[in-house]
Amino acid sequence: MFKGKKFLILGVANERSIAWGIAKALHDQGAELAFTFVNEAIEKRLRPLAEGINCSMVLPCDVQNDQQLDSLFTEIGERWGKIDGVVHSIAFADKADLDNRFSKTSREGFKLALDVSAYSLIAVAGRAEAIMNEGGSIITLTYLGSQRSVKNYNVMGVAKAALESSVRYLATDLGEKNIRVNAISAGPIKTLAASGIPGFRELLNKFAESSPLKRNTSVEDVAGAALFFLSPWSAGVTGEITYVDCGFSTVGIG
């Protein structure tokens, strides 16, 4: 499906990452991939994964650093010319702001969560536009905590709400160039990021029991949806927040 297509993947932390599941699915369908890492620890985990699928483009990028963002897209443009899509799977909040009551969120913690988790999509999309083929697609990952109160999700829920709003505005902004922007709201998945949420194991059990499908969402579930949004099959879909959560969003929480 994606033979000859080129995609930038941001946010692979390890082999359990949702972004890695999407990357593998794209690779299996013939896509060429480029990856980014934020620090040396992530790079050490990412490079073997990339090498395992014969990908040599593994580049540094701290999304809080405009100079690094500029350098990333300049290098990709020089090496590839154009790209066909971007997978944005980046989020972060200070653990103290997840452990504490939401009303005790620190000012700096709020800025950090919004900057990394929401503004980064705007910063990436604005630069990707310049090297994106017509009909290109940008997807990001969100979560139900943006719409409903989820225990211990706290400031990350607010950041995801900002991310989802950004998807709609970016879809309008980039639509005139036939570039689509969508978000996938995945159910709870045991990833490195999710492990930082207090009580996550109990949350997983509760979600599986409440889900109409009586199971938790898998990385493969999300990857399948991602292929749809990155392909021409979704050519008429933009600005959407799509739930891939085994039906949990219909059950409700908070």
Side-chain angles (χ1 to χ4, degrees):
M1 186 192 304
F2 292 103
K3 186 176 182 179
K5 302 294 184 180
K6 299 176 173 65
F7 295 90
L8 171 63
I9 315 290
L10 301 101
V12 174
N14 58 28
E15 71 279 0
R16 290 188 298 171
S17 296
I18 294 174
W20 178 243
I22 295 171
K24 285 198 301 180
L26 285 168
H27 170 73
D28 290 344
Q29 292 294 328
E32 294 181 56
L33 306 175
F35 296 94
T36 68
F37 61 88
V38 66
N39 55 39
E40 187 176 327
I42 297 295
E43 181 184 9
K44 287 181 178 179
R45 292 195 293 264
L46 176 58
R47 283 199 181 276
L49 296 175
E51 290 169 1
I53 58 171
N54 299 315
C55 173
S56 60
M57 202 181 309
V58 180
L59 306 170
C61 182
D62 179 350
V63 293
Q64 292 188 280
N65 186 315
D66 286 327
Q67 188 173 19
Q68 284 196 25
L69 281 165
D70 290 339
S71 297
L72 170 67
F73 282 94
T74 296
E75 182 163 354
I76 291 176
E78 290 173 350
R79 294 173 65 171
W80 272 354
K82 293 285 187 178
I83 62 174
D84 298 284
V86 174
V87 176
H88 172 276
S89 182
I90 297 174
F92 183 79
D94 192 305
K95 191 174 186 305
D97 291 312
L98 297 176
D99 290 338
N100 292 333
R101 294 170 57 213
F102 177 67
S103 60
K104 300 302 181 182
T105 303
S106 67
R107 188 181 300 274
E108 288 306 311
F110 187 89
K111 290 179 182 178
L112 175 64
L114 271 288
D115 188 12
V116 176
S117 309
Y119 180 74
S120 63
L121 176 67
I122 302 168
V124 166
R127 292 165 172 84
E129 176 186 6
I131 60 171
M132 184 83 74
N133 281 319
E134 184 176 350
S137 176
I138 299 171
I139 63 169
T140 188
L141 278 299
T142 185
Y143 177 61
L144 183 65
S146 64
Q147 302 295 320
R148 303 175 186 177
S149 172
V150 175
K151 185 178 179 180
N152 297 326
Y153 205 56
N154 296 348
V155 70
M156 187 55 72
V158 177
K160 290 297 189 182
L163 178 72
E164 292 178 13
S165 184
S166 299
V167 165
R168 291 184 281 270
Y169 280 94
L170 286 170
T172 301
D173 209 30
L174 304 184
E176 61 186 25
K177 291 194 175 181
N178 197 24
I179 297 172
R180 295 171 292 113
V181 186
N182 291 287
I184 297 173
S185 182
I189 298 175
K190 192 175 180 181
T191 63
L192 183 63
S195 66
I197 300 172
F200 184 74
R201 185 187 299 273
E202 290 75 17
L203 202 62
L204 271 178
N205 294 334
K206 179 181 178 181
F207 278 35
E209 292 171 2
S210 302
S211 163
L213 294 182
K214 302 305 177 186
R215 66 175 178 87
N216 284 308
T217 310
S218 70
V219 169
E220 291 74 20
D221 293 331
V222 180
L227 292 188
F228 170 74
F229 283 111
L230 293 169
S231 78
W233 292 347
S234 59
V237 182
T238 193
E240 291 293 327
I241 314 299
T242 298
Y243 290 89
V244 181
D245 58 5
C246 298
F248 182 78
S249 63
T250 65
V251 178
I253 187 171

